[in-house]
Amino acid sequence: MGTRILYVHGIEAIGGAERDLIALLKTLDRRKWELHVVCPGTGPFREQLHAISITTHAFNLPPWRKVRSLLQRGSAVRRLSALVGQIDPAMIHVNDIWWMPHTVRAVAGCVAKSVPVVAHVRQEIEPTKVGRYELDLAETVIAISRQIEQSLIAGGVSDNHVRTVYSGIELSERQLSHDDQAIRRMIGVTNEAVLVGTVANLFSRKGYEVMLRALPAIVNAVPTVQYVIVGSDDRGYADRLRRLADELKIADRVHMVGFQDPVQPVLASLDLYVHPALMEGFGIAVVEAMAMGKAVVATTTGGLPEVVAQGETGLLVPPGDAESLAETVVSLLLDRVRREQMGSKGRARAQERFSLGASVMQMERLYGEVLKAHKEGR
């Protein structure tokens, strides 16, 4: 059996963080690593883990800082501590900041054995949140961008305890070749329609409202434009977006197609990929769009400027600025040659910098270093 790692993740739905973890688990050498995941007992995330033969342990982790969860926190920590004792992992990898306080306390409750904890930070983070989520107690903190790494250091994580590991995607030709008509048929638009789209679960921080406010000006300049939204909605945010689209009289231009797996056929159908996020740690969907040869319009928030080469693979605009977003989208929609040049350079950049193989290799090296340091008592 390989070295046992326990991953802790508390969300059922699949977004960027979940897809990234699934890709990692799928690629890690099972002869070297024995993989276990603590996650909710229902939902698409657990289903996908089972599809790739990952052992899961059904567990609901209450939000740490919500008042309504105060009574549940203690029992959740005790149950998690018992589970850690039962599984007896060599290391714990917490897949986002939200479950770090639970994990730290659960490990402290395992008096028989000390277990190193690795924390993955997958979104922009203010330095003040570092202590709040006890990230400074991790053996190593993984940042998904240099910008996040700097925030962690500013918040008190020692610079030799933080490492940037960019998320990677599978780049085989089989995955990158798709019928670009599939989505057009699904949403009922013609070949003449100009498609722009965003792949991100439906949260306000993803900037969907900004894009909808930009859309009337885009439609005015490019009358055949249609906007495709790809992502899960479990909080009723889609209804809010529909109401806004109605108010702006663009409801017939907006197509919400929900979670799509695989996502490549959607990306293949697009003329331009738009990522209007107000906050974004990295932007794995942007890398996927680049890998599919799509020019990108994104915002300057978080790790996005590390993904998009400004003026080469896409264009960056300030977050929350609907006017700049509209102008920039229109400029690329009206310039097919530039779009295609950016798409070609984007594909090359994705292959050079953001391959899954390189990401997994870095992660395995990090695991080895953490285990060695822990064994030596450093």
Side-chain angles (χ1 to χ4, degrees):
M1 297 291 280
T3 302
R4 190 171 298 156
I5 303 177
L6 176 64
Y7 295 82
V8 179
H9 189 80
I11 295 176
E12 291 183 15
I14 294 180
E18 293 76 24
R19 283 194 290 146
D20 191 31
L21 180 57
I22 289 165
L24 170 67
L25 298 176
K26 201 178 194 176
T27 312
L28 284 169
D29 186 344
R30 304 287 180 91
R31 295 165 301 181
K32 189 174 180 182
W33 311 103
E34 183 188 332
L35 310 174
H36 294 251
V37 180
V38 165
C39 64
T42 57
F45 178 62
R46 185 168 181 257
E47 288 168 12
Q48 290 220 1
L49 292 176
H50 284 180
I52 57 170
S53 304
I54 299 292
T55 301
T56 64
H57 305 270
F59 204 97
N60 290 317
L61 293 163
W64 190 257
R65 299 188 58 80
K66 301 283 186 188
V67 175
R68 59 184 166 79
S69 301
L70 283 173
L71 295 175
Q72 301 168 282
R73 287 188 342 191
S75 63
V77 167
R78 287 190 294 275
R79 285 185 293 114
L80 183 57
S81 184
L83 187 61
V84 169
Q86 175 192 330
I87 296 169
D88 191 26
M91 181 174 64
I92 297 176
H93 183 151
V94 183
N95 198 47
D96 216 331
I97 67 171
W98 319 115
W99 310 294
M100 188 61 184
H102 312 72
T103 306
V104 166
R105 285 162 179 74
V107 168
C110 294
V111 292
K113 183 182 177 184
S114 169
V115 185
V117 175
V118 169
H120 217 135
V121 181
R122 296 186 175 278
Q123 68 269 294
E124 285 187 82
I125 185 168
E126 299 157 8
T128 52
K129 283 190 175 180
V130 169
R132 201 178 298 168
Y133 285 96
E134 302 175 17
L135 296 166
D136 50 332
L137 300 180
E139 193 93 14
T140 297
V141 183
I142 302 166
I144 59 171
S145 70
R146 299 285 178 197
Q147 189 264 355
I148 291 173
E149 179 179 324
Q150 292 308 308
S151 291
L152 290 166
I153 293 169
V157 177
S158 170
D159 58 1
N160 60 347
H161 283 268
V162 62
R163 184 89 56 85
T164 294
V165 179
Y166 289 134
S167 300
I169 63 167
E170 182 59 62
L171 294 166
S172 70
E173 286 304 313
R174 180 182 57 80
Q175 287 188 295
L176 300 184
S177 58
H178 289 275
D179 173 12
D180 63 3
Q181 298 300 304
I183 295 300
R184 290 174 184 269
R185 289 194 294 269
M186 184 174 83
I187 64 177
V189 298
T190 64
N191 288 346
E192 287 69 44
V194 173
L195 292 192
V196 297
T198 302
V199 177
N201 283 342
L202 275 61
F203 300 112
S204 59
R205 67 176 181 271
K206 296 300 182 180
Y208 281 120
E209 289 164 77
V210 182
M211 181 57 187
L212 293 190
R213 293 189 187 283
L215 203 52
I218 298 170
V219 171
N220 190 48
V222 186
T224 55
V225 78
Q226 303 280 334
Y227 181 44
V228 183
I229 294 174
V230 183
S232 300
D233 172 43
D234 61 355
R235 302 184 185 184
Y237 184 63
D239 292 335
R240 184 164 143 191
L241 293 179
R242 288 188 187 96
R243 287 193 296 271
L244 179 58
D246 283 336
E247 288 170 24
L248 296 168
K249 298 181 171 53
I250 52 167
D252 60 331
R253 306 294 181 133
V254 179
H255 309 271
M256 298 185 194
V257 299
F259 171 71
Q260 297 288 315
D261 180 43
V263 75
Q264 282 79 12
V266 183
L267 296 171
S269 73
L270 301 179
D271 294 286
L272 179 67
Y273 183 78
V274 182
H275 204 78
L278 303 176
M279 296 180 69
E280 188 66 81
F282 178 70
I284 193 71
V286 177
V287 176
E288 289 173 319
M290 287 163 51
M292 293 297 293
K294 304 301 171 179
V296 171
V297 174
T299 57
T300 54
T301 193
L304 291 173
E306 298 171 46
V307 175
V308 179
Q310 169 72 333
E312 291 182 29
T313 68
L315 297 173
L316 297 167
V317 300
D321 188 337
E323 188 176 339
S324 290
L325 183 61
E327 288 175 4
T328 305
V329 167
V330 168
S331 74
L332 286 182
L333 289 181
L334 296 179
D335 191 342
R336 181 172 185 165
V337 171
R338 193 178 188 203
R339 280 204 323 271
E340 290 178 350
Q341 289 172 342
M342 286 181 164
S344 178
K345 289 179 180 177
R347 181 184 283 121
R349 184 175 173 86
Q351 290 171 338
E352 289 164 13
R353 296 197 176 206
F354 306 114
S355 76
L356 181 59
S359 178
V360 172
M361 194 182 301
Q362 282 183 274
M363 197 68 75
E364 288 195 310
R365 190 181 303 131
L366 184 149
Y367 285 170
E369 290 169 5
V370 168
L371 291 167
K372 183 182 178 186
H374 188 73
K375 188 176 181 180
E376 294 173 354
R378 286 189 272 131

